[in-house]
Amino acid sequence: MRERRIVELTTLNEISKLVNSTLELDDMLREIVTLVCKNMLVDVCSIYLIENRNLVLRATQGLKRDAVGKVSLAVGEGITGAAAAQGSPAWSGKTSSDPRFVYFPETGEQEYSSILSVPLISRGNIIGVINIRTREEREYQPLDIQFLTSVAGQVSGAIRNSQLYLKATRNLHELITLNEVGKIINSTLDKDKLLQRICEMGANVLNCKGAILRMLEDGAMPCAAEYHESSAPVSNEMYAMEKEIAEKAVETRLPQVVSPDEHNPYGKRSRRLGNLSLVAAPIILQENCTGSLSVYTYGDPNMFFSVNDRRLLVTLTSQASVAIENARLFESVKKAQSELEQAHEELMMKEKLAALGGMAAGVAHELRNPLVSIGGFAQRIVKLYPKDLPDNIRQHMDRYVGIITGEVKRLEHLVSEMLNYASPQQPQLQRLNLPEFIDEVLHSIDRKPYRLRGVSFETDFSQDSRDLDADPDQLRRALLNLIVNGCEAMPHGGVLSVTSNTRKGKDGEGDYLEINISDTGEGISRESLIRLFDPFFSTKATGSGLGLPITKSIIETHKGVIKATSTEGEGSLFSILLPKQNHI
Ligand SMILES: Nc1ncnc2c1ncn2[C@@H]1O[C@H](COP(=O)(O)OP(=O)(O)OP(=O)(O)O)[C@@H](O)[C@H]1O
Ligand SMILES: [Mg+2]
């Protein structure tokens, strides 16, 4: 009796030393079971811990080692389960004739007969069970039970300390990880890159195979970024399920979990998807939910995202939400800045043009009268030729006078275009019958020289493109510019076509008339196309380069738009869109 007491005290003392020397849980449990076997002269000692609501074999001396971590029994199942369920020792002298006993063949426990299980209790919570077994049948005495209970008391405290230590190190690890995460996600302001990084971080921090980030947009939750470790495509069923959980996380503002476990409402679907485990957390910034981040893994039927994992993901999403907001703000600042720059450029251009126009108008005004005189006097010179002027001199004189009048005409055209451009007139609107009007414009041109070059003219006006409010003089000028340009672009002939039709305005705006003027000429190079409407841009020897800018300004004062498309070597198309009814 006394001897036994000594053994017990020695054992407890050794256990106490042992539990104080290490905080590594698995090592400690292994040493405890060895020590108990040796000192209590029993064949088996095992420790089961509660994990995910079940008792999982965590250490054993006597049973097969490779069963550790694999054998799991429900609380209440077998004699070990009974000890956990009732919170007090349970035993059987001969398990083969005990109906409560449940065999787990993978442990090799068939050879053992007796069993004594004692619950491990820490602060009133059952955290596991320790049991001993012997080969021969054995009736356990109160002293045996008392002793194992004392061992259990020591072990429970140590397990709790070890778990607290584990939690503290995990917290520290989380803090370090989150600090790293913070650094990484805050290192970019490019929103797409940032979302991608958040996905990768989410998957890495929780040791998962992938992550999906969704952003709320007009009540929908489209996928904004994703990361998948494997290159295999993600199934539609998996996407659908992830979306469902993500939406739930956003709706409840709480993380949502999917696990293969049969208690999980999504368990069946998870098992069908290869034991999918998933946790989705809402992304919340200042009370506003802006999206969700889900991380997932698969293949492990026992996988379960713990409260800790969920907390970690929530911490990560709250860090992410700030970074996303920063990137969003940065994007909008960048956009505003580029809009400002563009507006500034447009203003500069307008001012430059206005200054240029003003100067041009001044020069034009000064040139107009002398030009009229030069033209007039040149004509008079012809009349003043002496009658006896030799023929060869007369021919020379005619040629020179011809050049003078030709150049004067060209300058007069330039002067009038410059004045037009510099001081545009307010349109005097009239209701026009557009097809008739265009025909009239076409007939006002001297088309003979173009026809001689092989240019033919075509028109096609849709029935409904009749009534248009426009200033006839200005519209005539605009159309003439475009028609003449088209004809001039076809030195070797081609087809000039003018068509019109009606276009419906967007969002219930009124109707528009579209006028298309196209040619099959030489086309416009890409560089010229950019500068087409710039004043004084011309590729022609005698061109003013004011035809198109004037045309554009006329169309714009009619609240219309003009655009040009062209293919070099094939021809060009100028499209004008004008509101049918105008109030300028
Ligand atoms: N239909 C077209 N096909 C090819 N190039 C064109 C066409 N329309 C315009 N261009 C190009 O655009 C330039 C500018 O045209 P714009 O009408 O403003 O001036 P211009 O025709 O050169 O001079 P002006 O109109 O005073 O005779 C032209 O010189 C020409 O290079
Ligand atoms: Mg022109």
Side-chain angles (χ1 to χ4, degrees), residues 5-283:
R5 190 71 197 133
I6 290 171
V7 170
E8 283 177 10
L9 284 175
T10 327
T11 312
L12 287 175
N13 185 27
E14 279 182 45
I15 290 180
S16 151
K17 269 201 223 145
L18 192 112
V19 297
N20 286 323
S21 69
T22 174
L23 283 165
E24 226 291 280
L25 188 62
D26 287 337
D27 291 348
M28 184 178 78
L29 296 182
R30 231 182 351 259
E31 296 199 29
I32 291 172
V33 290
T34 320
L35 197 86
V36 171
C37 269
K38 193 177 95 206
N39 289 7
M40 282 188 81
L41 300 172
V42 290
D43 301 307
V44 176
C45 176
S46 309
I47 294 176
Y48 293 76
L49 293 184
I50 292 206
E51 282 172 21
N52 199 7
R53 292 190 286 265
N54 285 328
L55 283 163
V56 179
L57 179 63
R58 272 288 143 229
T60 186
Q61 167 72 22
L63 296 186
K64 285 187 183 157
R65 280 277 162 80
D66 50 9
V68 170
K70 292 192 189 120
V71 167
S72 149
L73 62 154
V75 172
E77 193 181 3
I79 289 167
T80 298
Q86 66 204 29
S88 59
W91 63 93
S92 171
K94 187 180 173 193
T95 49
S96 55
S97 56
D98 194 322
R100 293 174 302 166
F101 194 73
V102 183
Y103 273 114
F104 286 91
E106 58 269 48
T107 59
E109 62 183 344
Q110 299 85 317
E111 7 175 332
Y112 306 104
S113 192
S114 79
I115 180 164
L116 165 61
S117 296
V118 172
L120 301 171
I121 303 174
S122 167
R123 299 192 173 194
N125 295 319
I126 307 219
I127 57 166
V129 172
I130 181 166
N131 69 24
I132 51 173
R133 312 201 56 179
T134 56
R135 269 200 183 80
E136 71 279 10
E137 293 168 21
R138 172 167 172 180
E139 279 312 314
Y140 288 101
Q141 302 303 312
L143 277 175
D144 298 321
I145 299 167
Q146 207 183 352
F147 175 57
L148 195 61
T149 307
S150 309
V151 171
Q154 285 256 9
V155 172
S156 306
I159 292 173
R160 179 159 170 80
N161 284 345
S162 168
Q163 281 173 340
L164 282 178
Y165 170 75
L166 210 70
K167 197 170 159 201
T169 34
R170 194 181 296 151
N171 282 349
L172 186 68
H173 172 71
E174 279 173 18
L175 275 177
I176 294 169
T177 316
L178 284 175
N179 185 27
E180 288 299 310
V181 169
K183 269 195 220 150
I184 292 175
I185 49 187
N186 284 315
S187 65
T188 179
L189 278 168
D190 177 324
K191 196 163 159 217
D192 291 339
K193 250 194 222 157
L194 171 74
L195 299 184
Q196 189 61 37
R197 276 189 196 170
I198 294 171
C199 279
E200 284 175 33
M201 278 285 143
N204 287 341
V205 167
L206 282 147
N207 210 0
C208 281
K209 294 199 194 315
I212 298 174
L213 194 152
R214 296 180 182 274
M215 295 300 288
L216 251 176
E217 266 172 38
D218 306 324
M221 296 241 310
C223 179
E226 49 194 306
Y227 164 75
H228 308 285
E229 196 182 86
S230 146
S231 54
V234 177
S235 74
N236 287 344
E237 195 185 348
M238 144 90 185
Y239 270 127
M241 180 145 140
E242 185 277 329
K243 187 156 181 256
E244 203 179 312
I245 310 298
E247 281 168 353
K248 209 162 160 200
V250 167
E251 194 188 308
T252 55
R253 295 173 155 250
L254 289 169
Q256 300 292 324
V257 187
V258 168
S259 72
D261 175 14
E262 63 188 44
H263 299 284
N264 188 280
Y266 303 94
K268 211 166 153 195
R269 283 164 76 186
S270 145
R271 292 193 291 275
R272 203 168 53 231
L273 286 166
N275 289 322
L276 175 78
S277 286
L278 186 147
V279 53
I283 300 176

Side-chain angles (χ1 to χ4, degrees), residues 413 417 481-482 485-486 488-489 519 522-524 532 537-540 542-549 572 574:
H413 167 74
E417 291 284 67
N481 279 337
L482 297 175
N485 277 349
E488 288 177 348
D519 62 71
E522 57 209 12
I524 306 167
L532 210 56
F537 169 72
S538 175
T539 56
K540 298 172 194 165
T542 59
S544 73
L546 286 171
L548 286 181
S572 311
F574 285 80

Side-chain angles (χ1 to χ4, degrees), residues 231-434:
S231 54
V234 177
S235 74
N236 287 344
E237 195 185 348
M238 144 90 185
Y239 270 127
M241 180 145 140
E242 185 277 329
K243 187 156 181 256
E244 203 179 312
I245 310 298
E247 281 168 353
K248 209 162 160 200
V250 167
E251 194 188 308
T252 55
R253 295 173 155 250
L254 289 169
Q256 300 292 324
V257 187
V258 168
S259 72
D261 175 14
E262 63 188 44
H263 299 284
N264 188 280
Y266 303 94
K268 211 166 153 195
R269 283 164 76 186
S270 145
R271 292 193 291 275
R272 203 168 53 231
L273 286 166
N275 289 322
L276 175 78
S277 286
L278 186 147
V279 53
I283 300 176
I284 299 173
L285 180 77
Q286 293 163 353
E287 307 287 305
N288 286 327
C289 196
T290 55
S292 73
L293 176 65
S294 310
V295 297
Y296 71 86
T297 186
Y298 47 78
D300 179 358
N302 292 318
M303 173 65 195
F304 182 82
F305 284 106
S306 65
V307 177
N308 248 335
D309 296 332
R310 283 177 251 174
R311 218 193 48 219
L312 187 60
L313 191 66
V314 169
T315 318
L316 188 119
T317 53
S318 72
Q319 286 228 13
S321 71
V322 180
I324 296 173
E325 179 63 6
N326 284 347
R328 200 187 60 76
L329 288 175
F330 182 69
E331 236 172 38
S332 61
V333 167
K334 233 169 50 181
K335 193 165 158 240
Q337 193 179 352
S338 93
E339 277 171 7
L340 200 71
E341 270 168 18
Q342 202 181 334
H344 182 70
E345 236 164 61
E346 272 169 26
L347 199 74
M348 294 277 286
M349 186 71 183
K350 271 199 182 132
E351 273 184 10
K352 239 163 72 186
L353 288 185
L356 200 70
M359 198 176 83
V363 174
H365 192 75
E366 289 298 315
L367 284 178
R368 195 143 67 167
N369 292 339
L371 277 177
V372 172
S373 313
I374 295 169
F377 286 129
Q379 295 302 325
R380 276 210 226 161
I381 287 174
V382 179
K383 287 184 189 143
L384 294 177
Y385 286 166
K387 289 216 170 52
D388 51 355
L389 198 65
D391 269 1
N392 62 337
I393 295 193
R394 179 183 292 271
Q395 271 169 11
H396 272 104
M397 299 279 281
D398 277 350
R399 201 162 70 82
Y400 297 152
V401 168
I403 291 172
I404 293 172
T405 32
E407 286 299 294
V408 163
K409 246 196 206 141
R410 191 173 73 77
L411 288 173
E412 272 174 349
H413 167 74
L414 179 65
V415 163
S416 91
E417 291 284 67
M418 271 160 80
L419 286 172
N420 252 311
Y421 181 67
S423 47
Q425 302 296 308
Q426 185 67 12
Q428 304 297 316
L429 298 183
Q430 281 181 28
R431 176 65 49 96
L432 304 178
N433 178 330
L434 188 67

